[in-house]
């Protein structure tokens, strides 16, 4: 679970970034191995600095008014392997090593529902874990 | 360039979507073949309906106050192959067949700059086309 954390200096990166009106930068999280898109999250500057200093994804949890390590409760952390910035400095892409699964609801990715050509939403993945067993407290 | 456009009914999908305060839904665009993340764009409801009805990505261009086909000028269209929605209905993921290149600046993806562990931004891709030759008018 531990392993080689990569740390990235943030200074040059921050110069080209254009945080949005809420002070956030949208960040696409992609699994480095399968290349599947895991989720889209929003980092404020503090969360970005902490993520790059630590080599793990942190997000700002508004409801708790604090930085939170992704996977803090579940242990399903995301180790940052590569960091990309888009042409306009308006979003980031992190290639990560995902431990167990990326989605709160027990799926590897948050995009587990696929729109069928009939118009219905179909399950595109099977559950990897049971959320009820992992998140015992409604923290 | 033409080919089998997929069309998706939008009704069920729209029911689970939570557009943001600006009436937009962030949409991650991934190349279906290479699995590389091409870009992150924002669709209003009209752009979403048009994209799914047509099987090609359209965005709402604020500066021109109109829907615009991605690749309208360059011909570098994105054919939608699969559509996914995240666990919270707050973002979409389109798997597309990208014609030529996805980025305005001539690269296959918009994430052509990578943060090196030295802290510098390095080019992660080579240019696929010369923007000066494609975008002759500043439309």
């Amino acid at each position: 679970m531990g392993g080689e954390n990569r740390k990235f200096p943030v200074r040059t990166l921050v110069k080209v970034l254009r945080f949005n009106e809420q002070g956030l930068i949208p960040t696409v999280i992609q699994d480095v191995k399968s290349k599947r898109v895991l989720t889209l999250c929003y980092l404020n500057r503090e969360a970005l600095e902490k993520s790059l200093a630590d080599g793990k994804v942190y997000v700002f949890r508004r409801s708790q008014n604090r930085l939170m390590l992704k996977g803090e409760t579940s242990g399903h952390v995301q180790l940052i392997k590569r960091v990309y910035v888009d042409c306009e400095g308006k979003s980031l892409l992190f290639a990560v090593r995902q431990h167990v699964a990326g989605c709160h609801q027990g799926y590897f990715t948050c995009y587990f529902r696929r729109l069928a050509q009939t118009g219905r939403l179909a399950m595109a993945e099977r559950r990897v874990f049971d959320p009820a067993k992992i998140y015992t407290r409604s923290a």
Side-chain angles (χ1 to χ4, degrees), chain A:
Chain A
M1 190 157 16
E4 7 63 89
N5 283 16
R6 295 194 185 166
K7 294 157 203 289
F8 301 86
V10 78
R11 233 168 107 191
T12 307
L13 177 64
V14 163
K15 279 183 202 160
V16 305
L17 289 186
R18 293 155 70 186
F19 288 84
N20 71 13
E21 318 79 56
Q22 289 99 47
L24 301 171
I25 190 99
T27 302
V28 179
I29 312 283
Q30 182 177 33
D31 180 55
V32 71
K33 210 169 140 192
S34 66
K35 293 193 165 188
R36 287 165 71 191
V37 177
L38 295 164
T39 193
L40 174 66
C41 61
Y42 297 84
L43 308 187
N44 63 3
R45 180 159 173 164
E46 199 188 344
L48 175 63
E49 286 176 351
K50 179 77 172 154
S51 296
L52 297 191
D54 231 45
K56 295 174 188 165
V57 179
Y58 286 78
V59 291
F60 185 76
R61 183 61 61 92
R62 255 175 280 196
S63 57
Q64 301 183 33
N65 195 39
R66 68 176 180 97
L67 285 189
M68 210 184 112
L69 175 69
K70 282 270 284 178
E72 186 179 86
T73 307
S74 60
H76 304 166
V77 295
Q78 298 175 328
L79 299 181
I80 302 171
K81 295 300 171 187
R82 292 199 286 271
V83 174
Y84 300 88
V85 57
D86 80 15
C87 51
E88 297 188 311
K90 287 184 175 175
S91 70
L92 293 169
L93 169 64
F94 289 174
V96 305
R97 187 150 66 81
Q98 173 67 56
H99 186 66
V100 184
C103 182
H104 224 157
Q105 294 195 23
Y107 299 90
F108 189 66
T109 89
C110 289
Y111 299 99
F112 56 82
R113 291 179 294 174
R114 177 174 162 180
L115 183 62
Q117 287 189 262
T118 59
R120 291 186 58 192
L121 289 175
M123 298 305 286
E125 300 180 26
R126 284 173 184 238
R127 271 210 163 109
V128 175
F129 70 90
D130 178 357
K133 289 189 185 148
I134 298 280
Y135 306 104
T136 48
R137 286 188 274 172
S138 57

